[in-house]
Amino acid sequence: MSLVLGAIADDFTGATDLANNLVRSGMRTVQILGDPTGKPLPEGVDAVVVALKSRSCALDEALKDSLAALDWLRGQGVRQVFFKYCSTFDSTAEGNIGPVADALLERLGGRQTVMVPAFPTTGRTVYQGHLFVGDRLLNDSGMQDHPLNPMTDADLVRVLGAQTSHPVGLVSHAVIRAGAEACRRRLGELDASGVRHVICDTLDDDDLDVLAAATVELPLVTGGSGLGQALPAEYRRKGWLAPVEDAARLAPAQGRSLVLSGSCSQATLAQVEHFLEHRPGFALDPLSLAQGDQPIAEALDFVRRQHAESPDEPVLVYASAAPDRVKAAQQQLGVARAGELVERALASLATTLVAEGVGRLLVAGGETSGAVVSALSLDRLRIGPQIDAGVPWTQASVAAGTLSLALKSGNFGGIDIFTRGFAVLEEATR
Ligand code: ADP
């Protein structure tokens, strides 16, 4: 059976989040990093998620990249296109959600699309068109202070209305509670009155199921990864998607195990501490990295020695540090330079050690993950089983063979993820 769903995600971790939900709902999924043009797809894939960086960039760039991804996806023959953005509807002053949705819909020749940002499992719900994070309205949730995309209005009909010249409508919870047929009818009425974008209320997973049933025939749906959890059942119902025994199946993992941590989030600090109670680790510090590459050479030696002694055990290299140490380094070096030094060091360790036979790699930190993935020149990840919510194992091809890679952003994961993660991989690929 052919490819069913093609998604365009406006950032990297958002793409992984959606891909993870698709796999968990039974779709074999590949994530493509950046412009997919000219990249071949492997056999046996039901969904592909193209990860762009179009959330906070200039609008013309977001439009160009999104349309290039769309053209490639259409060339692959996908049945439905999914434009994925953040469940907090992260937007810039220019959009980019509204204009990108407009451009995609136009190119697809569609008349209407839905906006379903909600992800109830993580507390993101929409009621009467207003977005909530837990029990707070979006503009009172901390998102109003976001450094790149401050969200100061929770009324999504109004927010989106400012991003498009087309009318924006609402399918309210009362309609959704009445079921998929009522929902489709309401969408039809809105369409007849020229409403192109429809914000959809969503309070729980049942609402997502209703919305998936009501929108499965649309050429374009848009939203957060919650809708991605509900759509695969509808694809199966339509006969587009064959039941797969284990959509998360990966090739057998090979090579040594390594954890690289550049995240200073609280959860990561606890994970580092927990790991160090059981296994050895090497601390990197931006102040000494600023003096030269000696610490990188020492870290390499350390990892090689540990792996020679215990080839099957994971080793940790970390720059993760408590807020006072981070602040001290940032005061001396500047925030950007401190970050760059750490990212460059961890990325260089990743390339050297993967070339030397590390085949199981867990990276902590969103920015850190981005640096490692681009240093390794990865352009495609097969999504596998989840270690913890939002943190799946993935696999990529590298010169040395197959690399199993898990990318954990700051606050994700249980306290023992740096050890348990490898056990999950063993179990899943045995
Ligand atoms: P998270 O997902 O937790 O936000 P990121 O990797 O996105 O983690 O961001 C952490 C940033 O902090 C990175 O740019 C990293 O290079 C930087 N960093 C890591 N360790 C230190 C440190 N000891 N001092 C200063 N900056 C650091």
Side-chain angles (χ1 to χ4, degrees):
M1 244 176 240
S2 58
L3 203 55
V4 182
L5 178 68
I8 301 167
D10 68 356
D11 92 332
F12 178 80
T13 44
T16 311
D17 191 15
L18 173 62
N20 189 41
N21 273 358
L22 294 171
V23 169
R24 287 162 58 73
S25 297
M27 296 186 91
R28 296 165 299 176
T29 305
V30 163
Q31 180 175 338
I32 307 255
L33 311 176
D35 183 1
T37 313
K39 291 181 187 163
L41 257 192
E43 288 293 302
V45 176
D46 306 310
V48 52
V49 182
V50 178
L52 299 178
K53 285 185 189 149
S54 52
R55 180 173 298 169
S56 315
C57 69
L59 178 56
D60 53 351
E61 200 182 314
L63 289 171
K64 182 169 74 58
D65 293 350
S66 305
L67 287 171
L70 177 65
D71 290 343
W72 181 86
L73 288 169
R74 292 178 87 190
Q76 307 294 321
V78 298
R79 287 180 180 265
Q80 188 168 46
V81 174
F82 190 132
F83 170 34
K84 158 75 174 69
Y85 40 79
C86 190
S87 57
T88 42
F89 214 76
D90 298 19
S91 306
T92 62
E94 286 188 283
N96 296 333
I97 296 176
V100 168
D102 268 329
L104 295 175
L105 194 59
E106 209 156 288
R107 176 93 34 121
L108 281 163
R111 291 172 53 89
Q112 188 183 59
T113 188
V114 288
M115 306 266 167
V116 187
F119 193 4
T121 316
T122 58
R124 272 72 158 183
T125 56
V126 178
Y127 185 62
Q128 302 295 9
H130 288 66
L131 180 51
F132 289 82
V133 178
D135 61 358
R136 316 305 304 168
L137 279 164
L138 178 65
N139 56 303
D140 190 26
S141 68
M143 278 302 294
Q144 69 274 25
D145 300 321
H146 191 283
L148 297 175
N149 334 99
M151 297 302 290
T152 54
D153 188 0
D155 181 343
L156 297 186
V157 175
R158 190 161 52 201
V159 171
L160 190 64
Q163 296 181 12
T164 171
S165 54
H166 297 279
V168 178
L170 172 72
V171 172
S172 69
H173 192 249
V175 174
I176 289 167
R177 209 170 33 191
E181 191 42 51
C183 198
R184 263 191 297 265
R185 222 175 12 247
R186 180 74 185 127
L187 287 171
E189 289 161 10
L190 289 168
D191 182 37
S193 60
V195 172
R196 193 173 162 110
H197 300 287
V198 185
I199 303 284
C200 299
D201 278 358
T202 315
L203 297 188
D204 55 25
D205 287 350
D206 291 343
D207 294 344
L208 287 174
D209 291 341
V210 168
L211 282 166
T215 62
V216 65
E217 300 269 7
L218 292 179
L220 176 72
V221 291
T222 86
S225 56
L227 186 60
Q229 149 198 316
L231 280 167
E234 292 305 318
Y235 298 148
R236 274 192 292 273
R237 210 158 284 145
K238 290 214 133 299
W240 296 351
L241 177 67
V244 205
E245 204 155 277
D246 186 4
R249 175 154 294 288
L250 294 177
Q254 43 187 240
R256 312 238 155 108
S257 304
L258 177 68
V259 181
L260 296 174
S261 179
S263 157
C264 301
S265 303
Q266 274 181 9
T268 307
L269 294 178
Q271 289 155 352
V272 167
E273 197 174 317
H274 185 269
F275 183 93
L276 293 174
E277 286 165 14
H278 302 93
R279 294 282 312 146
F282 186 95
L284 284 173
D285 164 34
L287 291 172
S288 35
L289 285 166
Q291 309 296 314
D293 286 348
Q294 186 59 24
I296 302 181
E298 287 169 14
L300 274 176
D301 272 356
F302 175 83
V303 174
R304 287 172 184 144
R305 250 182 298 118
Q306 294 299 331
H307 277 152
E309 263 171 42
S310 322
D312 296 331
E313 298 293 333
V315 181
L316 167 70
V317 179
Y318 63 102
S320 315
D324 53 333
R325 296 226 354 249
V326 173
K327 219 167 266 158
Q330 288 174 337
Q331 260 159 14
Q332 283 205 39
L333 301 166
V335 175
R337 175 142 166 80
E340 271 162 31
L341 283 164
V342 168
E343 285 167 33
R344 194 181 65 90
L346 292 174
S348 125
L349 288 170
T351 44
T352 307
L353 289 165
V354 166
E356 290 180 6
V358 162
R360 300 160 163 96
L361 177 60
L362 199 156
V363 184
E367 291 299 322
T368 310
S369 294
V372 167
V373 161
S374 72
L376 289 169
S377 305
L378 304 182
D379 59 6
R380 191 168 82 196
L381 303 174
R382 162 78 75 161
I383 309 298
Q386 162 175 300
I387 308 172
D388 282 319
V391 193
W393 275 106
T394 71
Q395 277 182 342
S397 292
V398 289
T402 298
L403 173 66
S404 300
L405 181 67
L407 306 168
K408 179 196 95 72
S409 62
N411 278 316
F412 282 37
I415 190 156
D416 57 351
I417 189 169
F418 291 167
T419 45
R420 189 170 41 81
F422 297 97
V424 169
L425 181 65
E426 276 331 291
E427 182 70 23
T429 63
R430 195 180 300 153

